[in-house]
Amino acid sequence: GVLGLPLHHYAENRPDVNQGRTFYDLNAFVLCALGVATVATLLAVRRRRPWDAAMFALSPALFVTATVNWDLLAIGLAAFGWLAWARRKPVLAGVLLSLGVSAKLYPLLFFGPLLLLAARSGRWRAALTAAGAAVVTWVAVNLPVALLWQESWSTFFKFNSERGIDWGTLWYIGEHFPVGNGKYGIQWFSDLNTDPTHHGLNMLYLALFLICCAAIAALTFLAPRRPRFGALAFLVVAAFLLTGKVWSQQYVLWLLPLAVLARPRWGAFLAWQFAELAYFVCFYGELMGASGKSVFPEWVFVLAAVLRWVTVAVLSGYIVRDMLYPARDAVRSTYEDDPDGGDFDGAPDAGFAIRLRGYFFGPDLGAEALASQQAEDIEESEKSEDAEDAGGAVDQDASGGDVPELITGRG
């Protein structure tokens, strides 16, 4: 409406204006600006690794899907949200992420990793502040609309609840998998799509997603080093897509910036991009087939969907491996810890997390980690005392006392 209504008013008495093309051009301009802004946020959080942003900026999937829908609005808001989080501004981060959730629900998935990392580090204040700001913002934006236009506002939730198996998902692959003799579909998957309410399908994919989230939570606490925020966020969003009943072709945009934050290595990334590009082409071939103009047999589209699913799963596996073997983490080869982590960057593990790892991997490991933690606490305490001593020396200088040359910087 922000672009369409003014355009319609302007072109109403101007028959020479092609409203459809102009509307697309305006949308493309705004979406491209949001894409550029996302690149800028990646550069801002990775100043020591500016080349990482090229993975997003030069992505072929970004080129072909950027204007399919308005997903880049949510992605841009989410990108500014994680930049605010990295700059340790939790209120602003919560507000921006919540605005992203209002545009597209997927930024909601970021709050799970934030709370998991808060539990591992014991630093709850910033995460809860961001979550609280997000709730207040979401209510402030959505409540007036929900009260004034309740039916329209609730249509999104009703539609997604009753929506069946969508193209390219795990469930679509099962429903249309080639079984020989020109036949397609495994009966169990086909039966899931017969219920008009799709209650069984909803329960099943939600259960699979929650199992994946439980595994990610376990990984968060049991990994030898606290996982980075970008890596956890990628795994949660990837799990949502891999198990979900809807995976539109532009949803690749959800993962693109997170892939840069999670694992800025080109190999698996390029393989995934090839799969996404192949899927995009096959999707529109399938769409033409659905309209009566057959381009290729059904198994070609199913193969493209399998390739996309597998490459995202493999990329997720590499990210898990980097968590289990932190020496492989490309980001931590440049930064000491987590440049995207905000309040978690450089944070030691909480005693609870140390004891939990000790329970699973043996008391020796737990005792060793606890001793290391205590040593870090002592070191931080000594640094704090040194800072207080230095502050006292400066106060003494201000009152006319003698100050060592080392403190004043003179000499």
Side-chain angles (χ1 to χ4, degrees):
V2 174
L3 296 177
L5 291 177
L7 172 62
H8 177 71
H9 178 74
Y10 171 78
E12 194 170 8
N13 297 317
R14 294 176 174 84
D16 57 314
V17 176
N18 186 324
Q19 292 192 45
R21 184 176 64 188
T22 305
F23 180 70
Y24 174 83
D25 291 342
L26 288 173
N27 277 273
F29 177 79
V30 174
L31 292 170
C32 287
L34 290 167
V36 172
T38 303
V39 173
T41 63
L42 292 172
L43 287 169
V45 297
R46 294 290 171 80
R47 292 184 177 181
R48 298 182 196 172
R49 300 179 57 91
W51 54 87
D52 288 351
M55 297 175 71
F56 180 87
L58 301 178
S59 164
L62 173 65
F63 178 76
V64 298
T65 63
T67 59
V68 169
N69 208 328
W70 267 87
D71 292 66
L72 274 174
L73 173 60
I75 291 162
L77 289 168
F80 282 113
W82 72 59
L83 175 60
W85 175 260
R87 298 283 176 82
R88 305 189 183 223
K89 299 177 180 179
V91 173
L92 181 59
V95 169
L96 290 167
L97 288 172
S98 182
L99 292 175
V101 172
S102 298
K104 201 84 174 183
L105 204 59
Y106 99 95
L108 178 66
L109 300 174
F110 295 167
F111 289 96
L114 284 180
L115 295 176
L116 287 174
L117 293 173
R120 170 143 185 178
S121 64
R123 295 189 175 183
W124 287 98
R125 183 174 180 179
L128 293 178
T129 299
V135 171
V136 171
T137 303
W138 191 87
V139 171
V141 170
N142 284 269
L143 185 59
V145 180
L147 292 176
L148 294 174
W149 300 282
Q150 183 177 3
E151 184 176 354
S152 298
W153 183 84
S154 62
T155 296
F156 167 81
F157 301 98
K158 182 180 179 182
F159 172 73
N160 280 282
S161 174
E162 298 177 352
R163 195 171 183 176
I165 295 175
D166 203 13
W167 289 8
T169 62
L170 171 67
W171 312 99
Y172 182 93
I173 293 169
E175 189 183 24
H176 294 265
F177 196 82
V179 294
N181 298 322
K183 297 181 179 180
Y184 294 91
I186 300 171
Q187 190 60 43
W188 182 78
F189 286 92
S190 300
D191 291 342
L192 287 173
N193 215 21
T194 57
D195 179 7
T197 65
H198 297 101
H199 178 75
L201 174 63
N202 291 339
M203 292 297 101
L204 192 55
Y205 95 75
L206 181 60
L208 285 178
F209 175 60
L210 291 177
I211 290 171
C212 290
C213 288
I216 293 169
L219 180 64
T220 302
F221 292 110
L222 300 180
R225 190 172 179 183
R226 173 177 37 79
R228 292 184 295 104
F229 169 65
L232 278 183
F234 180 95
L235 290 181
V236 173
V237 175
F240 181 78
L241 295 177
L242 290 170
T243 61
K245 65 176 182 177
V246 179
W247 192 347
S248 300
Q249 70 271 29
Q250 77 275 12
Y251 288 4
V252 61
L253 298 173
W254 299 4
L255 288 175
L256 262 180
L258 297 177
V260 177
L261 298 179
R263 191 176 187 271
R265 295 186 184 275
W266 285 92
F269 178 84
L270 289 176
W272 167 50
Q273 290 299 289
F274 170 80
E276 291 284 358
L277 197 59
Y279 178 81
F280 182 86
V281 173
C282 291
F283 176 89
Y284 283 98
E286 183 78 359
L287 192 62
M288 292 179 67
S291 64
K293 298 178 181 179
S294 181
V295 178
F296 43 65
E298 174 69 15
W299 67 263
V300 175
F301 180 62
V302 174
L303 178 62
V306 170
L307 187 62
R308 178 177 68 159
W309 198 96
V310 169
T311 52
V312 172
V314 169
L315 184 55
S316 301
Y318 277 124
I319 292 170
V320 170
R321 186 190 67 174
D322 290 348
M323 291 181 182
L324 296 175
Y325 301 95
R328 295 177 178 269
D329 191 336
V331 175
R332 280 178 168 150
S333 67
T334 307
Y335 292 88
E336 291 183 4
D337 190 24
D338 184 2
D340 324 316
D343 200 48
F344 308 134
D345 185 26
D349 285 346
F352 154 76
I354 294 172
R355 288 190 292 271
L356 184 65
R357 291 192 68 238
Y359 175 80
F360 279 97
F361 300 113
D364 292 340
L365 179 61
E368 180 183 350
L370 189 59
S372 175
Q373 177 63 57
Q374 291 172 343
E376 289 181 10
D377 291 343
I378 292 172
E379 183 179 353
E380 284 190 11
S381 176
E382 290 175 347
K383 287 180 180 179
S384 177
E385 291 176 1
D386 290 343
E388 291 177 1
D389 292 342
V394 172
D395 291 341
Q396 186 180 0
D397 180 47
S399 62
D402 296 331
V403 182
E405 293 177 351
L406 180 62
I407 297 177
T408 62
R410 296 192 295 268

